[in-house]
Amino acid sequence: MAAPAKKPMTAAEFLQWAQETERKRCELVRGEVIAMAPERADHSRIKARIWRALADAVERTGANCEAFIDSLGVAVDDYTVYEPDALVNCGDAVAPDSLLATSPVVVVEVISPSSRSLDTNAKLSDYFRVPTIAHYLVVDSKRRLVLHYSRDGDRIAVAFVTEGAIALIPPGLSIEIADIFP
């Protein structure tokens, strides 16, 4: 006799569970809770530099946005919630007790050995299912490369950026590669 099928967890159930559980970082992927691997020092440094570059750009331009580092989730659908390494949320301020970005415009993932496939495949297509997301940055620290995916109408454009600036329009921000990879 086969074991009964496991019921997928919903995003609402996941967020409730996350509030009640002492946990490490997790994501909900198609109804299944996935623990995120521990981060190496280089991953953490790159993530912090990206957050700082985004936060500085928001402050410099006065955009009605806020940069976050690996704290808020992005709900893709009723069964998928990702926690990007950094994001920029624009518009109304996120409530202090919220676990989700309300209007993510820029999401960033720093590639690690365990996340490469998910970051460059499923997350790419999933993030752009969120109507507010205009930019998805995939950072490859080993190659000193940022893959900049941007929404262009109903198409997704990609740029391989190794030097210069990355223009994030909307919301009107610009970050320098030299600030990510000094």
Side-chain angles (χ1 to χ4, degrees):
M1 185 162 131
K6 185 176 165 184
K7 180 181 173 248
M9 184 181 278
T10 66
E13 292 167 339
F14 172 73
L15 295 172
Q16 183 66 40
W17 171 82
Q19 289 181 26
E20 297 170 353
T21 306
E22 282 293 319
R23 64 177 176 89
K24 296 182 178 180
R25 290 181 61 212
C26 295
E27 294 179 314
L28 183 67
V29 181
R30 292 165 193 48
E32 183 179 350
V33 176
I34 306 294
M36 298 169 75
E39 295 176 351
R40 292 177 169 86
D42 187 51
H43 185 100
S44 185
R45 285 182 189 110
I46 295 293
K47 181 170 60 174
R49 287 182 190 124
I50 291 166
W51 171 81
R52 181 176 304 270
L54 291 168
D56 289 349
V58 167
E59 186 174 327
R60 193 172 46 248
T61 63
N64 184 25
C65 302
E66 186 174 4
F68 291 88
I69 190 168
D70 74 15
S71 56
L72 292 179
V74 173
V76 172
D77 59 32
D78 290 341
Y79 295 94
T80 303
V81 177
Y82 293 127
E83 187 176 309
D85 288 315
L87 67 83
V88 174
N89 191 82
C90 296
D92 293 339
V94 177
D97 60 346
S98 182
L99 298 176
L100 294 174
T102 52
S103 282
V105 175
V106 179
V107 290
V108 181
E109 295 287 357
V110 178
I111 290 177
S112 63
S114 64
S115 71
R116 179 178 295 278
S117 178
L118 184 61
D119 291 344
T120 57
N121 292 302
K123 284 186 179 181
L124 171 60
S125 61
D126 282 349
Y127 277 137
F128 280 109
R129 290 172 47 209
V130 178
T132 60
I133 292 178
H135 305 277
Y136 177 39
L137 305 179
V138 178
V139 181
D140 186 335
S141 62
K142 298 283 188 231
R143 296 172 53 199
R144 299 178 60 87
L145 166 72
V146 175
L147 296 171
H148 175 200
Y149 296 95
S150 58
R151 191 183 305 268
D152 182 14
D154 60 351
R155 298 176 49 154
I156 304 302
V158 63
F160 294 75
V161 187
T162 58
E163 59 185 25
I166 299 173
L168 302 169
I169 301 169
L173 308 177
S174 179
I175 61 173
E176 295 289 330
I177 290 293
D179 291 336
I180 300 169
F181 305 117

